[in-house]
Amino acid sequence: MLQIEQDHHRFRQIVRGKIRQNLRKYMSQGELIGRKGKQLISIPVPQLDVPHFRYGEKGSGGVGQGEGEVGTPLGPGQGQQDGPGQAGSEPGEHMLEVEVTLEELAQIMAEELELPRIQPKGQDSIHEEKYRYNTIRGTGPESLRHFKRTYLQALRRQIASGTYDPRRPRVIPFREDRRYRSWTVTREPIANAAIIYMMDVSGSMTDDQKRIVRTEAFWIDTWIKSQYEGVQRRYIIHDALAREVDEETFYRTRESGGTRISTAYEVCLQLIRQHYPPEQWNIYCFQFSDGDNWGEDNRRSIRLLREQIAPLVNLFCYGQVESPYGSGDYLRALESAVVPYHDNVITSQIPDEEAIYDSIRTFLGKGK
Amino acid sequence: MSLKHAVEKQLAALALPLVGPVVVQASDAREQAELELAELDRLGASVARLVVSSTCLAGVELERLRALGEQLARQLTYLLEPLRVIECDGESCAVQMRSSQPHREGDDRFFYELWLRRGGQMELVRWHTVPGAVKEQVPMQLTREILLRLVDDLQQAAWDLREAEKI
């Protein structure tokens, strides 16, 4: 290994250590969402000290100069005191931005949260037949003729038969010299896990709660994507009615209807039945609400979850975020009526952004 | 006799100081009031739940109920926590109102919740919540004057709604 590679490796280790150290902060603030690219994520790493010389003040003499006793502190003299000062005109200290891949970030998260690898329930992967033009054949349509290969074949034949004259380098392809592009069929994994997010967007859920959901969903995505070759995500919002929406709408919608969680479960079931046969897919459901389900709907929601959804999915996670009006009783209802019967149903209370870290550990800590 | 006076009369008949729970019911021609009292003395009452039922709300549509909610939000300022419509549900035809900003005491938060239902019920309760715990219902601390004014305003709002329906 070259010296520069060793240094780079060591630098990456330091960066990883810093990210791990600050992971709880990153996980609770949600600022990384806006820094995510397609493959890389840019992370501001504070206090990553690069060794450098520190100069003394001008005119104050150097170390070891002048009079002094053993133990006399070196540095600014007495009489200089801290106090409020004027704002400076020089640029402030910038944080170092480092780029890490999403896989690396998932790995750091797994190490820090001690997450076990997921044991897939469905097939390892769902494959799709793909056609790739990567071979050559002697027959084919003229539109696929490979001119270079045809020329080479003709040249090869002429040299072998002694009809090639280097002084008059004319190559005339015959019919049997013609070469055509052809395809091979490969089976490639397309997706094998589906994440279905459900969120209560009724009037009692405020923007703060949605921000918590968004941050938590980002980290859940990062982890599950690192565990499967392909992940599909679906989003369902509900108040008294539920519908499937795109990701952007999911986080931006606010409705004023009542809260009926069962409607979201119905749409979720419909999605699973239509698109994700449980024997082939690894299905993950994450639901977020403030738990203020309208009284009579609790029974229906619990029946749907216990009897129909839970048996189909790898994991069903319910996160109860706390609105200014506190936490509803749906969490308690789930814990008494569903959790004891299905070990793949996990609940977590998320009073504020600080609780996201522990909530993710609770959700993903079972390795399902 | 108005509903307010009927309630006043019922309260006057109770021996003081009263420690509940005691349910007090009073009615006039169209409305009925039900109070779950936790405590009552000469000045005020600790009320776990107040329900005013009115036949005026029997067949009302959701939009009318929402309008009633907005009217009450403007009217019930003396609770010192302005109410606002939080959720409206077409299926059960009900409107949920709450204090627009819960009252804070350290980590504790308190808020009123007023339900308006098509069946004719207007129900007021108060909740207490602390971070990380499920909210619990607590009694409202109301002076007698405020309590009676509340009963009167809820009755009046139901009447106003009926008049609006006629138009």
Side-chain angles (χ1 to χ4, degrees):
Chain A
M1 193 185 274
L2 294 172
Q3 182 66 38
I4 186 72
E5 285 173 350
Q6 282 177 5
D7 289 348
H8 185 250
H9 180 71
R10 184 167 147 64
F11 176 72
R12 300 301 300 176
Q13 289 301 323
I14 293 169
V15 167
R16 278 176 70 112
K18 283 287 173 192
I19 294 173
R20 271 184 74 165
Q21 242 177 40
N22 293 296
L23 192 65
R24 184 180 277 271
K25 191 189 85 184
Y26 296 134
M27 290 181 85
S28 61
Q29 288 179 355
E31 64 174 304
L32 295 192
I33 297 169
R35 296 170 172 272
K36 186 181 155 223
K38 204 171 177 188
Q39 296 296 332
L40 294 170
I41 187 157
S42 163
I43 299 181
V45 181
Q47 298 148 1
L48 190 68
D49 290 330
V50 178
H52 60 275
F53 289 109
R54 290 187 187 171
Y55 301 106
E57 288 177 16
K58 274 184 183 173
S60 63
V63 173
Q65 291 180 351
E67 295 174 2
E69 299 293 322
V70 175
T72 304
L74 299 169
Q78 290 176 353
Q80 294 182 10
Q81 291 181 349
D82 291 338
Q86 296 278 320
S89 58
E90 296 299 314
E93 191 180 333
H94 292 290
M95 285 194 179
L96 181 69
E97 299 247 344
V98 293
E99 287 191 329
V100 294
T101 60
L102 288 170
E103 288 77 28
E104 206 174 350
L105 188 62
Q107 208 183 344
I108 294 169
M109 178 171 73
E111 285 166 13
E112 186 60 20
L113 268 64
E114 296 168 351
L115 299 180
R117 285 196 70 78
I118 289 175
Q119 298 295 322
K121 173 177 142 288
Q123 285 185 5
D124 278 352
S125 58
I126 290 175
H127 291 85
E128 186 183 59
E129 289 194 339
K130 290 238 170 162
Y131 298 92
R132 291 195 182 281
Y133 284 86
N134 54 5
T135 59
I136 299 290
R137 295 171 65 185
T139 55
E142 287 304 308
S143 60
L144 291 179
R145 193 186 328 157
H146 197 303
F147 291 99
K148 198 172 174 181
R149 292 292 186 100
T150 302
Y151 171 83
L152 280 172
Q153 182 57 31
L155 179 64
R156 197 177 291 141
R157 178 184 49 75
Q158 282 186 212
I159 291 170
S161 64
T163 58
Y164 179 72
D165 181 1
R167 286 166 300 179
R168 289 188 69 225
R170 291 179 62 191
V171 178
I172 302 165
F174 291 172
R175 181 161 186 78
E176 58 269 25
D177 295 329
R178 291 181 188 173
R179 293 292 178 266
Y180 300 88
R181 287 184 176 84
S182 185
W183 65 89
T184 52
V185 181
T186 53
R187 281 166 57 78
E188 289 187 3
I190 44 167
N192 56 356
I195 310 177
I196 301 173
Y197 288 107
M198 287 168 268
M199 180 160 63
D200 173 5
V201 292
S202 63
S204 54
M205 287 280 285
T206 66
D207 289 342
D208 288 343
Q209 279 76 60
K210 284 177 198 154
R211 209 166 19 250
I212 288 174
V213 174
R214 186 169 204 160
T215 308
E216 183 139 349
F218 168 80
W219 291 99
I220 289 167
D221 276 356
T222 303
W223 175 241
I224 294 182
K225 275 180 185 169
S226 75
Q227 301 288 294
Y228 290 101
E229 283 167 337
V231 174
Q232 287 196 7
R233 290 173 297 163
R234 307 297 280 257
Y235 297 90
I236 298 167
I237 55 171
H238 76 92
D239 54 358
L241 291 171
R243 65 180 196 276
E244 194 195 348
V245 293
D246 59 47
E247 185 178 0
E248 204 55 31
T249 314
F250 184 76
Y251 293 113
R252 290 187 188 280
T253 308
R254 184 163 185 184
E255 307 277 4
S256 60
T259 309
R260 290 180 191 279
I261 289 173
S262 65
T263 58
Y265 288 173
E266 278 162 8
V267 175
C268 173
L269 260 177
Q270 211 177 329
L271 271 180
I272 293 172
R273 285 181 183 141
Q274 285 177 0
H275 302 283
Y276 307 110
E279 62 278 7
Q280 293 178 342
W281 287 80
N282 295 288
I283 304 165
Y284 294 84
C285 295
F286 294 90
Q287 184 203 350
F288 299 94
S289 169
D290 61 2
D292 257 337
N293 200 21
W294 282 29
E296 73 280 15
D297 191 59
N298 271 9
R299 192 178 299 172
R300 178 169 169 67
S301 305
I302 282 167
R303 201 173 59 239
L304 276 169
L305 178 56
R306 195 166 73 179
E307 293 169 11
Q308 300 197 47
I309 298 177
L312 302 179
V313 300
N314 292 44
L315 196 61
F316 187 100
C317 297
Y318 172 72
Q320 187 153 302
V321 288
E322 204 163 292
S323 77
Y325 302 107
S327 225
D329 63 355
Y330 190 65
L331 179 76
R332 208 158 44 183
L334 276 191
E335 283 175 348
S336 63
V338 183
V339 174
Y341 305 98
H342 293 281
D343 67 347
N344 61 342
V345 176
I346 299 170
T347 59
S348 152
Q349 193 151 16
I350 316 166
D352 52 30
E353 287 168 330
E354 291 294 314
I356 292 174
Y357 183 90
D358 292 322
S359 167
I360 289 174
R361 196 205 295 257
T362 309
F363 282 164
L364 304 175
K366 281 203 169 187
K368 284 189 176 285
Chain B
M1 187 167 59
S2 72
L3 192 61
K4 173 186 167 181
H5 291 117
V7 171
E8 195 173 13
K9 196 174 161 188
Q10 290 289 335
L11 294 181
L14 295 170
L16 299 179
L18 176 142
V19 178
V22 170
V23 177
V24 174
Q25 288 181 326
S27 57
D28 71 351
R30 285 201 193 87
E31 282 81 30
Q32 192 185 5
E34 187 178 298
L35 289 87
E36 278 181 33
L37 293 175
E39 282 179 60
L40 177 72
D41 60 24
R42 269 183 343 108
L43 284 175
S46 184
V47 184
R49 180 168 164 264
L50 166 66
V51 184
V52 172
S53 309
S54 171
T55 53
C56 301
L57 302 180
V60 73
E61 288 183 356
L62 185 66
E63 274 315 302
R64 290 285 189 190
L65 269 188
R66 184 200 285 267
L68 174 66
E70 277 156 11
Q71 182 196 328
L72 285 170
R74 287 190 295 273
Q75 213 169 341
L76 305 184
T77 51
Y78 46 83
L79 291 176
L80 302 180
E81 284 170 30
L83 299 178
R84 70 180 173 99
V85 173
I86 299 281
E87 294 181 2
C88 303
D89 183 36
E91 197 173 315
S92 59
C93 199
V95 170
Q96 183 193 50
M97 300 174 70
R98 282 179 174 173
S99 308
S100 62
Q101 287 296 325
H103 170 66
R104 282 175 179 269
E105 284 179 21
D107 278 348
D108 298 64
R109 279 169 285 171
F110 298 87
F111 63 92
Y112 289 104
E113 185 174 80
L114 175 61
W115 284 91
L116 311 175
R117 297 192 177 93
R118 177 159 54 182
Q121 266 194 353
M122 292 178 276
E123 179 186 5
L124 182 69
V125 292
R126 188 157 177 79
W127 293 97
H128 168 233
T129 175
V130 284
V134 175
K135 64 180 189 285
E136 55 172 4
Q137 207 175 313
V138 291
M140 306 170 260
Q141 307 302 326
L142 303 169
T143 62
R144 282 182 181 240
E145 188 186 353
I146 294 291
L147 176 60
L148 295 173
R149 188 173 168 189
L150 200 52
V151 171
D152 201 35
D153 279 347
L154 292 176
Q155 181 187 33
Q156 190 62 48
W159 285 354
D160 290 348
L161 186 73
R162 189 190 54 189
E163 292 305 312
E165 291 271 287
K166 279 181 188 170
I167 295 165

